[in-house]
Amino acid sequence: MGPARSDKGQWVRGWGLAAEEGVAAEAKAVKAGVGVAVEVSAAAVGAAGRKEKTSGRQTLQPKSSLVENQDALLAVRLAIASGKGGTGKTTIATNLAMRLAHHGQEVVYVDCDVEAPNGHLFLKPDEVREYPVNRLVPQVSQERCQHCGDCGRICRYNAILCLAERTLIYDELCHSCGGCVRVCPTRAITEIPHFVGVVRIGIAGKVQFVSGTLKVSEASSPPVIRAALQAMPPSDWVILDAPPGAACSVVETLRDCDYVLLVSEPTPFGLHDLQIALELAKTLAVPCGVVVNRAYSSMAELRELCGQAQVPVLGEIPDDLAIARAYSRGQRIIDVVPGLHRTFDHLLLRLLEELQPNVLPFRTRQDLEQAIYANDRMEATNLNEPGRLMAT
Amino acid sequence: MKVAITTQGPDSASPVDPRFGRARFFRIVDTESGQQTTVDNAEGMNAVQGAGTQAVQALARLGVQAVLTGHVGPKAWNALQAAKIQMYSVTSGSAEAACQAFLAGQLSMLTPAEAPGHA
Ligand code: SF4
Ligand code: SF4
C-alpha cells in the first residue's frame, strides 16, 4: 500500500497508514468475515465519541449491527505497563486477553512495545496483514531557498541547520510537526513520506491482534504507536501492551486509557520501578492497580508502597517454575499451568470492581461476571468441590 | 579568522570542555584583532536533542571558521563539515592555552575516526 492521503487529498500528518477508515474497515472485515456492511462513519466518530461514555449500553440491536459497532468503539481501554522491562507485561496482557475472549468478550490486543514487540510469540496470530507506517519529513529545494533562516528558527527540535548557502534537515531529529513548511516564505520546503515501521493486524483465536514494529535505526516510536492504535478494530475491550519505562512512548500508550494495570515484581529493582510507574500514572491521571508477578511470601514492602499511593493490588501471579518453563517455550501460561486461569479470572473480577461505571458498560460487566461465575461453577462441579472464586 | 573553543567557564583561564554540542560556553577568539567574546551555551547544554546542530547553527551565524574541542558527535560532525568549520582536537588545559597551541599550529585536526557514536 502506498502512503495514505486523507479525504481532502492531503498527507495524513504523522503517519501514513491509510486513512483510518481504510484500516479500521479492513480490520473489521478480518473480524467479521464476509458480509458485514462496514460503517465507515462509525470509525470516524470513534475518536470523538470515545470520551462520551455512558453507563447505559444500547442493547436493542443484535451483534454486528451498526449500533453494536458504535457501541464497541467505546471499548474499555486497559493498558498493561511497568517501570522496567521483563516484569511480565506481555504474559499478563496476552493471558488476560485470552481469558476475556474465553468469557465471550470481544477483545483487541495491541502490542505497543514497538521497539521490541513480542505479543505475537504468545498469541501466534493468523491472517496477518502488514501496513507500512510513514511519517512526513521536510525536504528543502535548494533552488527555491533564499536562506532566510526562518525554518531553522521555528524548529523546536534543532532539526534544521540554516547555513549561508545551504539549508540542511536532519530527518532523525525531525518530529514531523510541519512548522517549517508553514513559515517558509518561498515554499521551498515540501514534505515527503519517510518509512518508520509497520503495523500488523491479525487474529489469534478469538482475540483481535494488532502490533506495531518500529523500523530498526528509527528513534521515535510514537508515530508507530499512534498508527497501531488507529488500526484497532472495534471491540468491548482493548488490551494495550505498553512499552517498558516511563518515556514518551509510554505516555503515548497510556493517553486516553481507562485503567492501567502496573505489573511489578517484589524485588528491590521491581519496587523502584513500580514507584516510577505509579508516579507516571498519577501524572497522567489514569486510575491504576497493581498485579504482582513472581509473587512470593508477604511482600510487605510492595504492599506498603501501594498502600501509600492508595493503589490496590489486584492480583498475584505466583513464582512458579512451570510458568517460567511455559513462558520460555512461547506457551500461554493459562493453557499449560493448571489452575492459573482462575488467577486471571479472579484478577478480572477485581478489575471489574475497580472500573468506574462510566468506563464499563453495565451490560459488559454483567455478561463478564456471569460468564466467569458460570465457568467457575462448571469446573467446580466437574471437580466436585465448592466454587473457588465465590469464596474469595 | 574566528575560532571557537568549548570551555567550562566564561573566561579565558577556564578549562576546555571536551563536549561540543553540550559544552557550557563557547569562547570565540578573533585571531586577527585578538578580540574575545563568550557565548553562553546553556540552551544547547540542556537541549533534549539536537544540541550539536544547534551549536553549529549558532557558530555559523557568528562566522566561526574553526572549533577547538574534544569530541564531536556524528550529526554535529556532518553539520560542521557542511558549514565548512574545521575541527581541531584539544582535550585538556585552559582556553587560553588551547588558543595559543592552535596559533602555533600544534593542534591536530579531528578526523572522522574520532567522531564517536554518540550525538
Ligand atoms: S517538521 Fe517540525 S520538527 Fe521537522 S524540521 Fe520542520 S519544524 Fe523541525
Ligand atoms: S524558510 Fe525557506 S527560504 Fe528560508 S531558509 Fe528555510 S527553506 Fe530557505
Side-chain angles (χ1 to χ4, degrees):
Chain A
M1 188 197 306
R5 281 164 188 272
S6 74
D7 328 352
K8 288 154 210 119
Q10 287 168 336
W11 294 107
V12 178
R13 179 153 305 290
W15 67 301
L17 195 68
E20 45 202 275
E21 300 92 88
V23 173
E26 292 236 39
K28 269 189 266 184
V30 171
K31 180 180 81 171
V34 240
V36 174
V38 172
E39 182 54 40
V40 172
S41 65
V45 175
R50 243 189 62 71
K51 283 291 117 188
E52 300 160 11
K53 290 181 181 178
T54 49
S55 50
R57 173 173 160 140
Q58 300 261 18
T59 53
L60 298 170
Q61 309 260 351
K63 292 231 163 193
S64 84
S65 69
L66 172 60
V67 172
E68 177 63 31
N69 275 350
Q70 278 180 342
D71 209 32
L73 286 165
L74 307 183
V76 184
R77 257 193 204 219
L78 185 67
I80 320 292
S82 75
K84 83 192 239 301
T87 47
K89 273 187 313 295
T90 302
T91 307
I92 308 276
T94 50
N95 287 282
L96 209 55
M98 295 301 292
R99 216 45 209 159
L100 278 165
H102 178 86
H103 293 308
Q105 302 285 312
E106 292 194 358
V107 191
V108 189
Y109 164 89
V110 187
D111 199 342
C112 297
D113 188 1
V114 300
E115 287 177 50
N118 62 350
H120 58 277
L121 299 177
F122 301 94
L123 287 176
K124 307 186 174 63
D126 297 319
E127 299 172 39
V128 180
R129 292 134 183 262
E130 263 188 37
Y131 301 91
V133 182
N134 296 301
R135 72 186 169 90
L136 294 175
V137 255
Q139 198 177 40
V140 179
S141 145
Q142 301 295 344
E143 295 89 66
R144 284 187 161 211
C145 176
Q146 297 174 330
H147 311 292
C148 67
D150 283 355
C151 54
R153 274 186 289 275
I154 190 108
C155 183
R156 281 187 52 203
Y157 302 100
N158 301 318
I160 307 185
L161 181 62
C162 293
L163 300 171
E165 70 281 18
R166 268 174 91 186
T167 301
L168 298 174
I169 297 195
Y170 287 80
D171 288 3
E172 62 275 37
L173 295 177
C174 170
H175 281 55
S176 304
C177 73
C180 54
V181 182
R182 232 150 279 176
V183 297
C184 178
T186 60
R187 293 174 170 259
I189 306 180
T190 47
E191 287 176 295
I192 49 167
H194 178 94
F195 175 73
V196 289
V198 294
V199 165
R200 292 188 177 88
I201 302 173
I203 185 150
K206 293 182 202 151
V207 178
Q208 310 284 330
F209 176 90
V210 179
S211 131
T213 308
L214 187 71
K215 190 184 106 191
V216 175
S217 84
E218 205 43 54
S220 155
S221 48
V224 181
I225 296 177
R226 273 197 293 277
L229 292 178
Q230 288 181 37
M232 269 176 344
S235 63
D236 299 323
W237 295 79
V238 173
I239 308 288
L240 302 177
D241 194 347
C248 57
S249 52
V250 184
V251 175
E252 192 67 47
T253 309
L254 300 196
R255 179 181 292 163
D256 293 337
C257 268
D258 296 316
Y259 200 86
V260 185
L261 277 182
L262 300 173
V263 182
S264 180
E265 291 173 321
T267 61
F269 281 130
L271 287 182
H272 175 258
D273 291 304
L274 177 61
Q275 210 157 4
I276 295 170
L278 285 169
E279 278 164 31
L280 181 73
K282 199 172 156 193
T283 313
L284 295 173
V286 189
C288 62
V290 171
V291 181
V292 187
N293 194 17
R294 296 189 263 272
Y296 61 87
S297 67
S298 68
M299 307 184 295
E301 284 176 333
L302 188 138
R303 286 186 194 284
E304 195 187 317
L305 181 65
C306 294
Q308 276 169 4
Q310 297 185 314
V311 166
V313 177
L314 300 183
E316 294 173 18
I317 313 295
D319 191 9
D320 185 336
L321 191 61
I323 295 178
R325 206 175 284 138
Y327 177 87
S328 67
R329 289 185 188 141
Q331 290 167 319
R332 293 186 291 253
I333 57 175
I334 46 169
D335 294 346
V336 282
V337 183
L340 205 61
H341 63 283
R342 282 163 186 270
T343 310
F344 278 88
D345 281 353
H346 190 236
L347 171 61
L348 282 174
L349 288 175
R350 281 289 284 120
L351 185 67
L352 288 181
E353 288 170 25
E354 294 293 323
L355 289 176
Q356 296 293 321
N358 64 334
V359 162
L360 183 68
F362 178 70
R363 182 67 192 281
T364 310
R365 183 188 297 266
Q366 216 179 23
D367 286 353
L368 182 55
E369 269 174 2
Q370 281 174 359
I372 293 176
Y373 285 132
N375 184 78
D376 191 47
R377 268 196 305 276
M378 188 192 74
E379 287 181 14
T381 336
N382 290 348
L383 294 170
N384 228 346
E385 59 175 43
R388 279 190 240 172
L389 291 173
M390 287 293 204
T392 43
Chain B
M1 176 185 196
K2 272 192 184 171
V3 180
I5 307 151
T6 54
T7 63
Q8 296 171 26
D11 50 50
S12 61
S14 320
V16 294
D17 197 325
R19 301 165 304 174
F20 171 67
R22 295 188 190 281
R24 184 65 192 85
F25 292 95
F26 291 113
R27 184 108 186 130
I28 315 283
V29 181
D30 188 326
T31 51
E32 278 103 54
S33 67
Q35 207 182 5
Q36 304 202 355
T37 46
T38 302
V39 177
D40 192 333
N41 187 39
E43 210 183 313
M45 210 174 79
N46 299 318
V48 178
Q49 57 163 35
T53 50
Q54 186 183 30
V56 177
Q57 179 78 75
L59 298 184
R61 273 202 200 113
L62 292 166
V64 167
Q65 286 162 294
V67 286
L68 316 186
T69 189
H71 301 288
V72 176
K75 284 200 266 303
W77 178 279
N78 161 318
L80 283 166
Q81 289 213 315
K84 300 200 175 67
I85 298 176
Q86 294 171 329
M87 293 158 259
Y88 290 90
S89 167
V90 44
T91 45
S92 58
S94 70
E96 185 62 37
C99 190
Q100 293 306 330
F102 171 71
L103 289 175
Q106 290 163 352
L107 295 184
S108 57
M109 270 201 171
L110 274 176
T111 54
E114 286 167 65
H118 69 80

